[in-house]
Each structure stands twice: as structure tokens, then as C-alpha cells.
Amino acid sequence: MGKFVLGAKRPLIIAGPCSAETREQTIETAMQLARSGKVDVIRAGVWKPRTNPGTFEGIGEPALEWLCEVKEATGLPIAVEVANRAHVQFALKYGIDILWIGARTTVSPFAVQEIAEALHDNKDVTVLVKNPMTPDIGLWAGAVNRLINEGVPQENIGLIHRGFAYFGDSKYRNPPMWHMIFEMRSRFPEMMMICDPSHICGCRPLLQGIAQQAADLCFDGMMIESHITPDKAWSDASQQVTPQDCITMLDNIMWRAKSADDPEFNDELNICRRQIDQIDAEIFDLLNRRMHTSDKIGEIKKANNVAILQSNRWEDICRRMLTITRRMGLSEDFVRTVLEAIHVESINRQNEIMNK
Ligand code: PEP
Ligand code: MN
């Protein structure tokens, strides 16, 4: 099998177990996935960065032997997670095609630097960088730049969105925070962006919805955890799906084209885009007027030596706007985010005026 070329196939479908547990489980899962013809790469964790000690931490080197058998039997390239120099060296020794840096590793510049150095000037292997656990674009971009600085060609580097740890209420294990992805896209516009619904959702019922949202946002592929007996998996049992369910899910994804040549489609789109540009301009014109009005309030408060933050008034505004916008069908989350941004900016400006 020749060198794996990232970007040669879009969408790129990566599937396989969270962890390689036994030879049978690894090979049987991979064979079932490969037989469908819908999967391009087999994944399996060999070293597992577990949150808690005392849980299954991966088979290590023997699992690489099983993965070589998988590659031989299926003809598919193999992806494993690496978290340090030794992992990279083992993976290269066994001819692993794709290495990925996991979310718990991307957070550590030392670990990423060590991995990058172990890959110094490597032109063959593909490296996929998962987003860090925390929503920190700098760390994610920094990891990519460390690889580039060590001579890993940019075209061999891809990104995986696996959601961000969040200490609050969420139906997701790692909420997707899609805006982070838009930011990363603008920093690396040519780089393949793959979605990992399994680690975003953490449970089966949400997988299809997240996969579809990613397809709607023009992601370049999916990484999905699949296991022959998911309920008995030694890691991430609740989010893994059988190979059959994985294939069904892949079949149900509607992939969208990045653009279309059809002139009618382009005309319709352009009309809507011009409207949006116009509306955006109006929104900012209004926001600007609102800020000037709140500057005036700042002057009045200053003249009368009254504090900036008037909690009652702010609560009234929120209550009133939430009632009005609920009727419009706008989501409460969205409305609160917008109101808070406006409020913070108003307070900052009034602060400046007070202290001039
Ligand atoms: C994994 O892919 O099994 C894994 C450990 O993922 P993450 O780094 O996204 O948690
Ligand atoms: Mn996993």
C-alpha cells in the first residue's frame, strides 16, 4: 500500500474502536467496517490517556501488531493516538499511516513539542491534531505550528474537532462550541477539518445530529468510534456504536457541496447574501447608536456621582427583551449572549467616561 495522502478523499471517514482491547475485537471490528466500503481509515487507541487512574490504559506495542494485521487484511490505512516521543517511535516502527494527538495532549506544549521533534522532517506520516480539552484556540494553533516548525509538511496535517470540556450543564460530553471551529478555520483555511461526534456526544442518541451539523458546516470528514460489542467496551462504552450502526449513521449523513456551479442557485444565494450584508450594517449602525446613548447615560451618572451598574434596570431589560424575542422564536441562549455582550461594552464605555 502506498503512502496515505491526506485530502485525496473527501469526506474522509475514520472509524474503529476507542481502544484496541483484544486481537479478535480489533480485527473483527475493522473487518466489519472495511467490508462496508464506507470507511477509509481504521482507528484504534493503543495508549489511552484516561482521566482516572486504575482504568484500562491501553495494550501498547502488542496492539500495533494487531493493527498491522488489520492493515494487511483490509488494505486500509491505520490511525493511532500518540502522546509522547516513545509512542511516535513505536508507531513509525510499525508503519502506522496516521498519528493523532489527543485532546489531553494538545493542551501540553511540552508533550506536543516532544512529538513534533520526534517527527522532525518526516514527510510520510499524516498527523491529525485534536482540539485541546479547553476552548483555547491558541493552544490548538500552537500545536499545529510546532509540527510545521519541525518540518512536518502542512499538507500532512489535519484537525479534529472533538468538542470542549465544559463545567456546566450540557447534554453533550464535550459541547461542540462551533464558533471555535470557525476561528481555527480562518487561521488554517486549507487544513482538513474532521469532526469526532463520538467524543462530542458521549452517548449514542446524539451522534447522528452532530455528524449532520458538521456536514452542514462543510467539515472534511468524520472520526467515529465503533466496537463489535460496544456495551462491553473497556473505554468509552456509552458512545461507541456497532460497525452496522456506524455504517447506517454514515449512510444517513447528507454531505453538502462547498459551492455549486448552477447559476440559479448562485443568484438566489447572492440575493440572500446581499440582504445579510445590509442587515449586518444596520445592526452595527443601531449598536453604535445604542453605545452613544449609553455614553450619555455615563455622563449623567458621572455628573450625579451615581454607580454605573444598576442591576434592577439590567434585569428589567433582560426580562423585557426575552419576552419579546421568545415570541419571535429566537433562542434564549442567543438572546442572552447578545444582551450580555452589549451590556459589557456599555459598562466598559461608561467606566471610561466616569474615570476620564
Ligand atoms: C480517543 O480518540 O479515543 C480519545 C482519547 O479522544 P480525545 O483525545 O478526543 O479525548
Ligand atoms: Mn475514546
Side-chain angles (χ1 to χ4, degrees):
M1 201 176 80
K3 169 184 167 343
F4 171 77
V5 179
L6 187 65
K9 165 142 190 314
R10 272 172 222 245
L12 179 71
I13 307 298
I14 306 173
C18 176
S19 308
E21 300 163 1
T22 67
R23 180 172 173 276
E24 291 63 37
Q25 167 257 1
T26 305
I27 294 179
E28 189 51 32
T29 305
M31 291 302 281
Q32 288 187 24
L33 290 167
R35 266 200 294 273
S36 72
K38 305 268 160 87
V39 170
D40 307 303
V41 174
I42 298 294
R43 66 151 275 156
V46 165
W47 301 281
K48 299 302 298 176
R50 303 306 298 280
T51 304
N52 294 309
T55 48
F56 172 61
E57 297 201 317
I59 298 288
E61 191 178 0
L64 293 172
E65 308 239 10
W66 309 335
L67 289 170
C68 288
E69 284 185 60
V70 164
K71 183 169 170 174
E72 182 72 29
T74 61
L76 294 179
I78 306 293
V80 302
E81 174 174 354
V82 293
N84 60 35
R85 181 187 309 278
H87 296 165
V88 174
Q89 289 166 346
F90 273 121
L92 295 180
K93 177 175 144 198
Y94 282 85
I96 299 299
D97 308 272
I98 300 167
L99 313 181
W100 86 80
I101 301 180
R104 290 166 189 74
T105 306
T106 311
V107 288
S108 163
F110 289 130
V112 174
Q113 184 61 29
E114 182 179 312
I115 292 167
E117 285 170 17
L119 287 168
H120 179 75
D121 275 348
N122 188 311
K123 303 278 187 276
D124 295 326
V125 77
T126 291
V127 190
L128 304 177
V129 184
K130 284 198 174 196
N131 65 262
M133 298 291 289
T134 44
D136 184 336
I137 288 290
L139 274 177
W140 198 3
V144 170
N145 287 328
R146 284 177 195 279
L147 292 166
I148 295 172
N149 289 350
E150 283 300 325
V152 176
Q154 199 153 327
E155 60 272 21
N156 290 0
I157 304 175
L159 304 166
I160 302 177
H161 168 223
R162 48 80 75 207
F164 298 87
Y166 175 64
F167 190 73
D169 270 346
S170 172
K171 61 180 173 176
Y172 300 108
R173 177 181 178 192
N174 295 289
M177 304 188 189
W178 298 107
H179 58 285
M180 302 289 292
I181 304 312
F182 308 149
E183 172 64 30
M184 197 61 181
R185 270 255 175 81
S186 69
R187 294 203 193 186
F188 299 99
E190 303 300 324
M191 214 163 262
M192 291 269 284
M193 178 71 83
I194 292 165
C195 183
D196 170 351
S198 306
H199 292 89
I200 292 176
C201 299
C203 65
R204 290 169 206 142
L206 300 174
L207 292 171
Q208 187 84 56
I210 284 291
Q212 188 56 51
Q213 263 181 283
D216 294 345
L217 293 170
C218 281
F219 273 59
D220 303 293
M222 296 287 158
M223 180 189 255
I224 295 163
E225 287 190 338
S226 176
H227 189 292
I228 39 165
T229 47
D231 287 329
K232 295 188 183 144
W234 299 354
S235 60
D236 288 350
S238 56
Q239 70 196 32
Q240 299 203 64
V241 289
T242 61
Q244 186 49 56
D245 287 350
C246 180
I247 305 309
T248 306
M249 183 178 139
L250 289 169
D251 280 341
N252 286 335
I253 299 174
M254 301 259 289
W255 288 94
R256 318 284 185 196
K258 282 212 165 143
S259 59
D261 296 331
D262 176 6
E264 204 177 310
F265 159 82
N266 280 317
D267 282 350
E268 276 181 61
L269 193 65
N270 283 335
I271 291 171
C272 292
R273 285 186 170 159
R274 277 199 296 275
Q275 286 176 358
I276 286 205
D277 290 349
Q278 179 60 33
I279 294 168
D280 284 347
E282 286 171 26
I283 290 174
F284 279 96
D285 185 52
L286 283 172
L287 284 172
N288 186 37
R289 279 164 53 194
R290 193 201 188 280
M291 290 308 154
H292 283 294
T293 310
S294 94
D295 287 353
K296 259 189 229 153
I297 294 182
E299 304 281 3
I300 299 169
K301 284 178 185 164
K302 182 178 183 176
N304 293 279
N305 206 21
V306 169
I308 295 173
L309 183 64
Q310 302 285 323
S311 305
N312 290 347
R313 163 77 180 140
W314 170 238
E315 279 156 25
D316 280 349
I317 293 180
C318 287
R319 211 171 306 119
R320 193 163 40 81
M321 291 321 293
L322 283 169
T323 311
I324 294 173
T325 53
R326 198 173 302 123
R327 281 190 221 119
M328 297 171 175
L330 294 173
S331 86
E332 180 170 338
D333 259 7
F334 169 67
V335 174
R336 280 195 189 278
T337 307
V338 173
L339 283 174
E340 263 159 35
I342 293 173
H343 191 217
V344 168
E345 179 68 6
S346 296
I347 286 185
N348 288 345
R349 291 173 71 124
Q350 290 190 14
N351 242 323
E352 238 168 69
I353 290 168
M354 285 272 188
N355 298 309
K356 207 157 44 192

